[in-house]
Amino acid sequence: MERGREGRGGEEDRHLQTCFTACEAIPLQYCLSGHPTLPCNVLKFKSTTIMLDCGLDMTSTLNFLPLPLVQSPRLSNLPGWSLKDGSAFLDKELKECSGHVFVDSVPEFCLPETELIDLSTVDVILISNYHCMMALPYITEHTGFTGTVYATEPTVQIGRLLMEELVNFIERVPKAQSASLWKNKDIQRLLPSPLKDAVEVSTWRRCYSMQEVNSALSKIQLVGYSQKIELFGAVQVTPLSSGYALGSSNWIIQSHYEKVSYVSGSSLLTTHPQPMDQASLKNSDVLLLTGLTQIPTANPDGMVGEFCSNLALTVRNGGNVLVPCYPSGVIYDLLECLYQYIDSAGLSNIPFYFISPVANSSLEFSQIFAEWLCHNKQSKVYLPEPPFPHAELIQTNKLKHYPSIHGDFSNDFKQPCVVFTGHPSLRFGDVVHFMELWGKSSLNTVIFTEPDFSYLEALAPYQPLAMKCIYCPIDTRLNFIQVSKLLKEVQPLHVVCPEQYTQPPPTQSHRMDLMVDCQPPAMSYRRAEVLALPFKRRYEKIEIMPELADSLVPMEIKPGISLATVSAVLHTKDNKHILQPPPRPVQPTSGKKRKQRATDDIPDCKVLKPLLSGSIPVEQFVQTLEKHGFSDIKVEDTAKGHIVLLQEAETLIQIEEDSTHIICDNDEMLRVRLRDLVLKFLQKF
Amino acid sequence: MAPTVRSAWIQGLHSLAQHPGALGFLADLGAVDRLLTLQGDPSLFVVTAAGQLLVHVLGLALHNCGPPCGPPLDPQWPLLASSLLAQLEEALQPASTPQLLQALGVLTNAFTSCPAPWAPALWGRLRPAMTCLLEGQPLQAPHALGDLLLAVARSPEVVVDLGPWEMLALVLGRLEPSQGGQLALGVLQLPECPQALRAQAFGVLLQPLTCVLSTSTDAPGLQELPPSAVGGSASLDLLLASRSACVGLLCCALARLALLPPLPWRPSPWPQAFLLGAVVAVLRSCNGHVPISAAGGRLCAALVGCERVQRAALDLLGALAQDAGPPELVLEVCGVLLEHVDSPDSSPTVLKKAFQASLTWLPHADKKPHPCGLQVPAQLFLPELLQVLRKRLCSPSWEVRDSGLEFLTQAASLWAGQADFRQMLQASEVPPLARQLLRDPESYVRASAVIAVGQLSSGGLWAHPGDQQGSPLEGLLDMLDTDPDAFPRRAILQVLTAWLRDTHGPLAAHPEPLLARAFQAAGRDPDWEVRARGLELAREFLVQTLGRIGVPCPYVPTPLLDTPPADTQALHPACRTRLFEFVFPALFDYDRPVARAACELLLLLRAQTTTCATPPQAGDTPDPATVEAALHCWRTGEAGRPLGELVPQAVLAVLQALDLDDLRGTLADGSDHAEKSPLSLLQDMLAAAGAQGHNQVDCY
């Protein structure tokens, strides 16, 4: 809160009669990521700067050669790539493999936009789920960020595991060379696709270190669902369950009169996390919608069925199954599904291996976050039983987990088997070894379940490949039908979403059902764009001190409506506004100087006149004038009202909607008389 | 008065009105007027019962007075019928909607039950009122009106030139396309009907599909359609007005069209190509593939993933398989079926329908015979289908595995004799997978696996070089003993019976020890259906050992009697299988179907043995007391075997000691026969009289 006092307004006292005006600043959204499921947006709202997620686009790694754990003669003997004119100066950086060109260097990641806004001014970062925080160390450690990060405990713990795995995968295969020549714009345009079309390559960065991860995570403050967090008194943020992953959240960002809902990576399917809280999203002015399913045409249930069927078929024929995956998330559901399936499919004797530096932690963490699980799994904890059945698979030795292929795994390894391991990009991690080992046999199968990477691009450096490839992307996030129902249910005034959601996918341009359909049409954004959110803040809430409220004398001007005039001091501090009683006028004691100071402080406070309201009916007013002895009265209609002309008295009375003027020739007595007659028709308070 | 009491009162009257003499009584009592009043009752049950009774009264009155006298179209009506009809005619006024609906309902039923000679007179009498009704604006109660006209049209006695055809055409023309489907179907189901009306009705049913095909760039067979089937953009807009409207209209149209192909009088020329094209377009839209047009996009958005439409379209596709079609369309059909069978998004019910439709399309895909056996498209289609089946048999969804096994069973029963099929099936991994599913955790799947394995064994489809597991017979008998669920056990006995009937089946050689195990297991099974199926197996075995007993086949002149067994030797095989240790106790089974089946079996055996077997010699026959003791044990379920191991003489002695005819009579009685007996009625009446003044007797 210290920042609030210093940076945002400090302390301001203004007198009421200087007229308090609500600030009409338009909330802005800075869009720092073009990836709809790895969002990074900054919201400027009520003088608060809030970053919503900081996803890391890892698809850039597909342009790099895999990092083999074991020396691979195939990969190390690839020919260098040379330009059409025969220039071979890039042959150390770029290698040709199966008709594709790859960068032979440590993989690099595409960061969120850092130039669009000064990231040191970000006050808070709100994290939705562990997949959307992978760029956090880049933001918190290299931009001058001094704010706070808010996230739920499972998000932080599993996010840490994902980062730890990533760092481990890359650091354990040190690569001497770092390629940068190819990033030169003049050179890049000479390269073949997809390198030629890669965007923002100059901003690509190598992976962070564990030290940076720890430092970034130390800035996180843990929150629970529905917990209300005040930001500088101006805005309140609340995480809500989004039903997608352990601890995944949507966020409500609201002031007294405005509400922005941030929906990111939500699911309505019954999997392991707590169900999505939809009700709290109602009555939003703006709903920012990100993180929808990446495979809207694939039903997760059908894909799980395909996964199991293909797995069983391969293993029955004596083949091995490789499942490139993240160490947390869908793998829990897959293991649960296999737990129910392996006996019926006659797979009881087939070993399942889960290989990851964080495999053990991931499996154990999943069992201890009971309060973040769905009801069924929560109730198991009270029996007491482990919420996930993979505990039983481990107990019965059907599922074994190892930190890497080295060590115990090589002693226990039996084939045929099923291996779950990372990384889904197939560019680093233990999966690279299994691709090299099993790729040559058509008995083996690689089953892709993570939707983040194009499986064909992931497989490109392994071609030619004899092993079967099955694509069963399992993405439980909202599809467009569910979005349509959700929007009908919560009825936001405006929807803002990435531009990809406002048109059908390019490969299925006829599928009008694969886009967000709402009224008014959703506003779209793209990377590096600044968007004015479509609502204006019109009101501020002001509190009145009790003693001031006691002094008010409301007058009923209409049935049910009372008004009172108030003279007070408006005290504004930390974005909270309070009306306080005006200081008592200091009695003039002695000396001209002091008196002058008092009147400076409270100008005009002693000469308050009553406020008038009501309208003057002209006919009755004329009759009244006649009763009071005025004759020769003429009435003229004007655009704004009437003019009553007292010809004999050479006086004009202009009656308009919000003012009345008496124009007479230096006859103050007459003016006062007429004024009193006018006032008879008006109410005073 | 409660609706139940009113309903019971009508039931009572209905029972009373079974005799013609009751009519006068009912008329004098004013019951008919009361029944007409009850047509407006708030209870639907009362209205229905009253309507049925009115129809019955009218039919009885007409039946009672014999054939009509006087001019054929204006005969002399019986008084009661005349007054009843007059009141119904009065209700046929356009203004009185509720009464109109009820009157139309009563008259519709009257046409189906009135004596044939009176039908033309009845129609002649109603015709003016109907004409008047049809002139009303807007048309009142169109559906009920259509039903009445269809009932009239179904009455063969109505003179052809007085038929309701014009009126039907008028009603059909005045209904919206979305409303006229049911009436159109009714018209098309009429065996005799003017061609123009038939074409009009067919057009109504085809219109939604015409709209679907009009969104496609490729619309085959449009020229085959009647003009009434070609709707304009208004029809398309109507179809696409909302998702629910579109789905509802298409489902109804598809379901109604699926009823037409089997009809001998189906519309001719039959637009096979158009229908195939339209159904393929619908199914493709459901899978998200759309033609390049804006309307196609809207249609796809409405239909994508819609299971109801998929099911109805696949049903129609199956029904259309009785005709061929242009080869390119047949290939498209095979493609779309494969797409549905393969798609991970197909729900289990859609998958089942897709399998069923595939089954019908495989043999009919091409009418040109192929020297190798299966037709050409089938040769392309079947291997892919078997590949998908292989995957489906490994599905985690039990419904999917079950549907896959059902498909396998049906395919094996249809084409076991086809060399190509045998080769393709044996080359696939499907048979061993099916056998593996005998251990499935889901009992329905195990049952289906048993049937499939049975069918594969019958067809000799196990002969795969890699299959080292041998005959599944032993495994099935083990399952019969140990499976905790009844469905697989029932299926096993069904398979054993089928195998026994098949002279080349797995049971052909040395069946007795295996059957002995089966009878023993069936005898102690807790499930009555398993025991009943065990009796079917026993009967089949006796048929084979004793000859064709009790087979009511007029073309087989008592084959058994031609070659009678020399003596009781014929019963020895049955005795060795301990068949009678299973059948005799079953006679006293607590579940009546089992006892009845055992009784019927023994009656047949008794008839056979009394005619063909030589009388037992006195020395071999057990004494009556021992037989009685044995019967007592079986009746009470006590342990003990007073007769020891049943030998043929003992079996015959038991048969003679049993009064099977009496037992059959007892078992034929319904479970409520005691409550319905006159004695019970008398006891109820006496009890009611005794309790009068103390208790209120409820009508029920």
Side-chain angles (χ1 to χ4, degrees):
Chain A
M1 288 300 139
E2 192 59 28
R3 276 183 62 82
R5 274 198 296 277
E6 286 175 8
R8 249 142 299 286
E11 200 165 339
E12 294 168 24
D13 287 354
R14 287 183 195 140
H15 194 274
L16 179 68
Q17 291 201 341
T18 59
C19 186
F20 179 83
T21 311
C23 172
E24 297 215 346
I26 297 170
L28 295 175
Q29 183 193 336
Y30 296 79
C31 313
L32 310 186
S33 162
H35 198 303
T37 42
L38 296 168
C40 184
N41 293 293
V42 172
L43 188 66
K44 278 205 165 188
F45 180 50
K46 286 198 72 173
S47 69
T48 312
T49 306
I50 304 169
M51 178 179 275
L52 303 168
D53 283 329
C54 46
L56 183 63
D57 186 352
M58 293 196 233
T59 52
S60 56
T61 59
L62 293 173
N63 295 295
F64 292 79
L65 272 183
L67 297 179
L69 270 179
V70 179
Q71 176 71 19
S72 162
R74 187 183 73 87
L75 290 173
S76 50
N77 295 325
L78 290 172
W81 182 81
S82 49
L83 290 167
K84 279 179 188 168
D85 61 5
S87 314
F89 65 96
L90 284 169
D91 66 348
K92 292 276 185 292
E93 292 197 355
L94 303 180
K95 302 285 180 189
E96 200 163 352
C97 178
S98 314
H100 293 84
V101 176
F102 296 95
V103 182
D104 187 10
S105 168
V106 182
E108 295 178 352
F109 306 114
C110 179
L111 270 54
E113 198 70 39
T114 51
E115 303 297 320
L116 195 63
I117 183 173
D118 178 3
L119 294 178
S120 69
T121 63
V122 171
D123 297 312
V124 290
I125 301 177
L126 308 180
I127 304 291
S128 309
N129 60 68
Y130 45 77
H131 286 298
C132 292
M133 60 183 282
M134 296 299 280
L136 196 61
Y138 295 115
I139 307 289
T140 58
E141 306 310 302
H142 299 285
T143 62
F145 172 81
T146 53
T148 311
V149 184
Y150 290 101
T152 62
E153 190 180 358
T155 301
V156 177
Q157 297 300 351
I158 298 173
R160 177 194 296 276
L161 295 182
L162 292 182
M163 291 180 184
E164 200 179 318
E165 187 193 58
L166 188 66
V167 173
N168 191 306
F169 279 162
I170 291 179
E171 284 186 353
R172 72 184 177 184
V173 189
K175 195 120 184 166
Q177 97 184 62
S178 179
S180 56
L181 206 52
W182 71 275
K183 292 184 183 176
N184 183 308
K185 277 187 181 172
D186 294 329
I187 295 174
Q188 195 198 352
R189 75 167 72 99
L190 303 173
L191 304 181
S193 288
L195 282 176
K196 185 173 69 175
D197 308 319
V199 289
E200 311 267 353
V201 290
S202 58
T203 65
W204 290 9
R205 291 286 175 270
R206 300 173 71 155
C207 188
Y208 33 71
S209 65
M210 233 14 245
Q211 194 183 357
E212 287 169 322
V213 170
N214 289 330
S215 173
L217 296 181
S218 69
K219 296 181 173 68
I220 297 182
Q221 191 167 322
L222 300 182
V223 290
Y225 287 148
S226 303
Q227 183 183 335
K228 292 176 168 45
I229 303 138
E230 287 279 337
L231 303 181
F232 319 120
V235 178
Q236 192 181 58
V237 295
T238 314
L240 306 170
S241 173
S242 76
Y244 167 54
L246 272 175
S248 66
S249 326
N250 292 322
W251 290 87
I252 302 288
I253 302 144
Q254 61 187 338
S255 65
H256 292 297
Y257 293 102
E258 298 89 12
K259 179 173 174 180
V260 177
S261 294
Y262 175 53
V263 173
S264 167
S266 302
S267 176
L268 291 170
L269 299 181
T270 313
T271 54
H272 58 271
Q274 252 191 46
M276 179 181 176
D277 180 354
Q278 295 181 64
S280 306
L281 300 173
K282 285 184 181 173
N283 304 319
S284 302
D285 296 287
V286 171
L287 188 139
L288 178 53
L289 184 66
T290 65
L292 304 185
T293 175
Q294 298 188 73
I295 319 287
T297 52
N299 169 16
D301 285 338
M303 286 298 149
V304 170
E306 285 289 291
F307 172 80
C308 290
S309 306
N310 285 298
L311 183 144
L313 275 177
T314 305
V315 173
R316 278 200 182 117
N317 285 334
N320 301 293
V321 176
L322 178 62
V323 187
C325 62
Y326 293 115
S328 179
V330 173
I331 188 172
Y332 302 142
D333 297 315
L334 286 180
L335 289 175
E336 181 156 3
C337 187
L338 287 172
Y339 168 78
Q340 294 159 356
Y341 176 67
I342 50 178
D343 287 333
S344 69
L347 305 177
S348 311
N349 299 322
I350 301 297
F352 288 76
Y353 300 121
F354 177 20
I355 303 172
S356 162
V358 296
N360 185 33
S361 312
S362 167
L363 292 172
E364 289 187 354
F365 270 136
S366 65
Q367 305 285 19
I368 60 165
F369 289 127
E371 61 173 299
W372 306 91
L373 293 170
C374 63
H375 178 73
N376 276 352
K377 295 214 178 296
Q378 271 191 32
S379 53
K380 280 192 173 183
V381 179
Y382 298 106
L383 291 177
E385 277 178 17
F388 286 95
H390 55 240
E392 198 182 319
L393 288 175
I394 294 168
Q395 251 176 5
T396 54
N397 264 339
K398 287 176 182 168
L399 173 67
K400 295 178 182 179
H401 54 86
Y402 303 91
S404 88
I405 54 168
H406 302 301
D408 290 346
F409 173 71
S410 42
N411 300 328
D412 299 348
F413 182 45
K414 279 181 195 157
Q415 301 188 72
C417 64
V418 180
V419 172
F420 294 88
T421 188
H423 187 268
S425 66
L426 305 191
R427 291 301 178 270
F428 39 85
D430 301 88
V431 74
V432 176
H433 175 72
F434 288 101
M435 286 302 296
E436 292 286 322
L437 186 71
W438 290 343
K440 295 173 197 73
S441 168
S442 61
L443 284 178
N444 303 323
T445 305
V446 54
I447 308 182
F448 292 87
T449 57
E450 301 289 355
D452 288 353
F453 300 92
S454 150
Y455 79 104
L456 290 174
E457 285 183 45
L459 288 170
Y462 299 95
Q463 300 296 352
L465 200 66
M467 79 192 295
K468 285 192 281 291
C469 303
I470 306 288
Y471 185 52
C472 296
I474 298 168
D475 195 336
T476 58
R477 286 172 282 202
L478 295 175
N479 62 31
F480 290 99
I481 297 171
Q482 291 165 333
V483 165
S484 173
K485 284 182 186 163
L486 176 74
L487 293 180
K488 274 183 193 150
E489 179 74 25
V490 305
Q491 295 193 325
L493 291 181
H494 300 279
V495 176
V496 178
C497 63
E499 64 173 353
Q500 291 94 329
Y501 296 160
T502 57
Q503 57 213 10
T507 51
Q508 290 167 299
S509 55
H510 55 274
R511 292 287 299 269
M512 305 304 285
D513 55 318
L514 300 184
M515 57 185 273
V516 171
D517 179 23
C518 61
Q519 282 304 328
M523 289 179 71
S524 67
Y525 65 84
R526 60 170 74 175
R527 186 181 166 106
E529 209 171 63
V530 182
L531 202 66
L533 293 185
F535 65 89
K536 286 184 182 177
R537 297 190 302 108
R538 297 176 62 187
Y539 299 105
E540 287 287 352
K541 188 177 178 182
I542 302 174
E543 285 180 22
I544 298 181
M545 297 289 283
E547 55 268 38
L548 179 63
D550 275 349
S551 70
L552 299 182
V553 186
M555 277 183 60
E556 191 170 49
I557 57 158
K558 276 184 188 174
I561 298 177
S562 299
L563 294 178
T565 54
V566 57
S567 293
V569 172
L570 177 65
H571 181 86
T572 298
K573 183 180 176 183
D574 286 349
N575 294 303
K576 282 195 174 140
H577 314 292
I578 301 170
L579 281 180
Q580 295 175 339
R584 286 183 188 161
V586 181
Q587 294 299 322
T589 47
S590 63
K592 200 176 172 184
K593 208 174 180 181
R594 182 176 283 267
K595 185 181 176 186
Q596 181 63 44
R597 207 169 125 192
T599 47
D600 278 354
D601 282 347
I602 326 157
D604 299 338
C605 70
K606 287 184 288 183
V607 287
L608 290 176
K609 289 179 182 174
L611 298 177
L612 302 174
S613 69
S615 59
I616 301 166
V618 177
E619 282 180 21
Q620 288 176 29
F621 180 61
V622 171
Q623 285 169 9
T624 308
L625 289 172
E626 284 172 348
K627 269 187 201 170
H628 284 79
F630 294 97
S631 58
D632 202 7
I633 301 170
K634 205 174 165 187
V635 178
E636 285 178 20
D637 291 342
T638 65
K640 292 182 177 177
H642 309 276
I643 295 175
V644 178
L645 179 62
L646 308 177
Q647 289 180 334
E648 198 177 302
E650 293 182 351
T651 299
L652 278 175
I653 305 172
Q654 276 183 338
I655 303 173
E656 294 179 355
E657 195 182 357
D658 53 357
S659 64
T660 303
H661 292 97
I662 300 168
I663 303 163
C664 59
D665 190 16
N666 263 341
D667 188 348
E668 181 62 10
M669 288 286 286
L670 176 62
R671 190 190 72 79
V672 171
R673 228 177 114 203
L674 288 172
R675 183 200 67 185
D676 292 343
L677 289 178
V678 167
L679 288 177
K680 279 185 182 174
F681 289 94
L682 298 173
Q683 289 175 304
K684 304 171 196 65
F685 61 93
Chain B
M1 208 194 300
T4 47
V5 177
R6 295 199 295 281
S7 195
W9 180 79
I10 298 170
Q11 295 279 357
L13 279 187
H14 208 123
S15 306
L16 180 69
Q18 298 304 311
H19 192 274
L23 288 182
F25 173 70
L26 287 177
D28 294 345
L29 208 64
V32 173
D33 293 339
R34 176 64 64 186
L35 285 172
L36 282 164
T37 317
L38 284 173
Q39 289 278 288
D41 196 276
S43 160
L44 195 62
F45 294 103
V46 174
V47 172
T48 311
Q52 283 170 348
L53 184 51
L54 281 173
V55 170
H56 176 73
V57 167
L58 181 63
L60 195 63
L62 295 176
H63 190 78
N64 202 20
C65 74
C69 309
L73 295 178
D74 188 19
Q76 184 137 17
W77 291 88
L79 193 61
L80 182 61
S82 183
S83 89
L84 178 56
L85 284 172
Q87 295 198 57
L88 290 172
E89 281 171 293
E90 200 175 313
L92 293 182
Q93 298 301 318
S96 55
T97 310
Q99 291 87 341
L100 173 65
L101 273 173
Q102 285 133 19
L104 287 171
V106 170
L107 288 169
T108 304
N109 289 330
F111 263 98
T112 56
S113 63
C114 87
W118 282 96
L122 187 57
W123 174 236
R125 180 171 177 150
L126 293 175
R127 222 178 133 97
M130 296 286 284
T131 310
C132 177
L133 200 57
L134 284 172
E135 284 165 1
Q137 284 290 353
L139 188 60
Q140 299 275 319
H143 296 292
L145 200 57
D147 287 344
L148 174 56
L149 292 171
L150 285 174
V152 175
R154 283 188 205 109
S155 177
E157 292 77 17
V158 174
V159 184
V160 174
D161 56 356
L162 283 178
W165 314 124
E166 282 177 19
M167 288 191 189
L168 274 169
L170 196 67
V171 177
L172 210 51
R174 289 184 65 179
L175 286 173
E176 291 290 325
S178 57
Q179 297 175 321
Q182 192 56 33
L183 182 59
L185 176 66
V187 168
L188 289 168
Q189 284 175 324
L190 294 170
E192 287 177 15
C193 168
Q195 193 57 31
L197 179 61
R198 198 182 287 275
Q200 185 187 357
F202 196 35
V204 171
L205 286 192
L206 291 176
Q207 216 178 63
L209 294 188
T210 321
C211 294
V212 169
L213 219 49
S214 70
T215 65
S216 164
T217 46
D218 178 29
L222 274 176
Q223 67 282 359
E224 302 171 21
L225 300 185
S228 54
V230 184
S233 59
S235 311
L236 184 63
D237 286 342
L238 191 72
L239 182 71
L240 296 174
S242 74
R243 182 180 156 89
S244 57
C246 179
V247 167
L249 189 58
L250 267 180
C251 281
C252 288
L254 292 165
R256 285 166 186 150
L257 284 167
L259 298 173
L260 298 182
L263 295 177
W265 54 83
R266 68 178 190 188
S268 177
W270 179 252
Q272 179 78 359
F274 163 79
L275 286 168
L276 286 178
V279 178
V280 167
V282 168
L283 285 170
R284 286 202 191 285
S285 292
C286 291
N287 268 3
H289 306 297
V290 283
I292 317 288
S293 74
R298 284 169 66 199
L299 183 74
C300 179
L303 296 185
V304 69
C306 179
E307 285 178 32
R308 278 177 62 204
V309 175
Q310 282 176 317
R311 288 198 298 259
L314 287 165
D315 273 342
L316 176 56
L317 202 55
L320 290 173
Q322 70 178 60
D323 290 289
E328 63 279 5
L329 266 177
V330 173
L331 279 176
E332 272 197 52
V333 167
C334 293
V336 85
L337 283 173
L338 206 56
E339 205 175 285
H340 276 75
V341 171
D342 191 29
S343 168
D345 291 336
S346 291
S347 73
T349 47
V350 169
L351 184 77
K352 190 181 172 83
K353 298 266 181 199
F355 269 135
Q356 283 168 349
S358 303
L359 210 59
T360 56
W361 270 98
L362 261 173
H364 298 286
D366 193 341
K367 292 292 179 195
K368 279 180 274 182
H370 192 270
C372 301
L374 286 174
Q375 285 94 33
V376 176
Q379 279 184 329
L380 301 172
F381 186 27
L382 190 61
E384 292 193 49
L385 209 52
L386 288 174
Q387 279 293 315
V388 178
L389 180 63
R390 199 170 129 252
K391 189 177 75 180
R392 290 304 196 179
L393 290 181
C394 294
S395 168
S397 156
W398 73 263
E399 293 97 331
V400 172
R401 299 196 298 274
D402 198 47
S403 300
L405 286 166
E406 280 177 7
F407 171 75
L408 175 64
T409 306
Q410 288 164 323
S413 78
L414 284 172
W415 305 308
Q418 302 263 21
D420 289 352
F421 175 75
R422 295 174 71 89
Q423 202 180 344
M424 287 179 203
L425 185 69
Q426 285 167 356
S428 73
E429 294 163 34
V430 169
L433 275 175
R435 192 160 173 173
Q436 208 161 38
L437 291 175
L438 290 173
R439 293 194 298 277
D440 198 277
E442 184 58 51
S443 64
Y444 296 115
V445 179
R446 289 201 302 279
S448 296
V450 167
I451 305 283
V453 163
Q455 191 61 51
L456 292 173
S457 294
S458 298
L461 294 163
W462 286 119
H464 186 257
D467 183 16
Q468 303 297 325
Q469 292 175 294
S471 166
L473 186 56
E474 277 292 330
L476 291 187
L477 287 171
D478 287 344
M479 267 180 87
L480 188 61
D481 279 329
T482 54
D483 199 295
D485 290 296
F487 295 111
R489 299 198 306 268
R490 290 176 200 168
I492 290 166
L493 286 167
Q494 187 184 327
V495 164
L496 291 178
T497 309
W499 280 352
L500 200 59
R501 283 195 191 113
D502 180 2
T503 48
H504 303 291
L507 276 179
H510 314 299
E512 288 175 19
L514 302 165
L515 287 178
R517 275 182 69 184
F519 292 141
Q520 199 181 2
R524 57 169 183 257
D525 202 287
D527 181 72
W528 74 264
E529 278 197 59
V530 174
R531 298 197 297 277
R533 295 212 175 166
L535 287 168
E536 279 174 34
L537 179 65
R539 182 193 158 96
E540 186 59 37
F541 184 60
L542 281 176
V543 166
Q544 295 197 357
T545 51
L546 294 180
R548 291 187 154 273
I549 58 171
V551 178
C553 178
Y555 308 109
V556 184
T558 58
L560 178 65
L561 295 179
D562 295 342
T563 54
D567 49 21
T568 53
Q569 291 301 314
L571 289 176
H572 275 297
C575 288
R576 282 198 296 273
T577 60
R578 303 174 68 99
L579 179 145
F580 295 106
E581 273 89 341
F582 165 48
V583 175
F584 282 132
L587 201 57
F588 307 105
D589 201 290
Y590 285 113
D591 287 297
R592 218 151 45 91
V594 178
R596 284 180 75 175
C599 186
E600 293 299 329
L601 176 62
L602 290 175
L603 277 165
L604 290 170
L605 181 67
R606 189 185 68 180
Q608 199 61 42
T609 49
T610 50
T611 53
C612 70
T614 51
Q617 291 168 6
D620 302 334
T621 311
D623 64 87
T626 318
V627 171
E628 194 49 48
L631 285 173
H632 177 76
C633 285
W634 292 330
R635 195 176 283 124
T636 56
E638 286 173 17
R641 299 164 66 190
L643 287 171
E645 270 198 18
L646 287 175
V647 293
Q649 288 80 5
V651 170
L652 293 175
V654 174
L655 273 180
Q656 282 169 0
L658 281 167
D659 187 354
L660 289 172
D661 297 311
D662 181 53
L663 194 59
R664 175 157 69 174
T666 310
L667 290 169
D669 284 334
S671 56
D672 60 347
H673 73 277
E675 284 77 21
K676 283 195 167 177
S677 68
L679 179 64
S680 170
L681 179 62
L682 183 63
Q683 284 169 345
D684 285 350
M685 287 166 73
L686 287 173
Q692 205 170 20
H694 301 293
N695 296 316
Q696 289 289 322
V697 179
D698 191 79
C699 269
Y700 289 107

